[in-house]
Amino acid sequence: GESRAQVEHRGEVSRHREAIFSSLEELASEKERTVQQATLQGAQLEQRRQAAELQIRSSQLERAAAAKEIAAVTGLMATLQQDKEAIERESERLLREREAMARHEGDTGQAAAGAHGTSAAGPAGAGPAEAS
């Protein structure tokens, strides 16, 4: 049969083997946990990155929309200013025409009054007292 030393040696070897196996299993499961954790953290970081990108894109879109609105309003204001200036020029022209017509009527009224020898009052408000 086997000597006591051989039996003890086999027992020692198998205990060592078990210790090594359990150490390897622990290492493997530790590594697995680390990989899972890293994967999870990676996914969380990716989510955060995408969220940040979306925020940046939406603020870029808002800025672009605001810029378009500003451009539209600026264009509208320029158009309104041009319209206002055109209206002012037109009303000045009409005013000058009216003044010229009034002067012309005043002149013909006075000439007619002079020809008939009547008083130079002429049409109401067209006398010499009105001359500005």
Side-chain angles (χ1 to χ4, degrees):
E2 289 182 292
S3 71
R4 228 176 90 156
Q6 283 178 315
V7 172
E8 280 181 10
H9 179 69
R10 273 219 329 265
E12 194 89 0
V13 168
S14 79
R15 274 201 301 279
H16 266 293
R17 197 184 289 140
E18 275 177 27
I20 289 171
F21 274 134
S22 69
S23 293
L24 285 174
E25 276 182 7
E26 261 178 50
L27 277 174
S29 64
E30 180 63 31
K31 188 178 178 185
E32 203 178 322
R33 272 201 301 276
T34 307
V35 168
Q36 282 177 342
Q37 209 175 358
T39 306
L40 188 67
Q41 284 176 338
Q44 287 173 339
L45 282 173
E46 179 59 21
Q47 260 182 332
R48 260 188 277 177
R49 189 187 65 76
Q50 286 177 352
E53 248 177 38
L54 277 175
Q55 222 173 352
I56 289 169
R57 258 208 304 277
S58 86
S59 66
Q60 283 172 340
L61 285 173
E62 281 175 29
R63 270 205 300 277
K68 270 187 197 166
E69 277 180 46
I70 289 169
V73 169
T74 305
L76 198 60
M77 284 172 71
T79 305
L80 287 173
Q81 183 62 32
Q82 287 170 353
D83 290 353
K84 183 176 167 248
E85 287 168 7
I87 289 169
E88 283 171 358
R89 280 196 302 273
E90 184 63 13
S91 53
E92 278 173 27
R93 190 182 64 76
L94 289 172
L95 190 65
R96 281 197 302 275
E97 270 183 31
R98 244 200 338 247
E99 284 172 353
M101 281 168 66
R103 270 199 305 277
H104 184 70
E105 279 176 23
D107 292 346
T108 53
Q110 279 182 342
H116 296 300
T118 56
S119 73
E130 276 281 316
S132 46

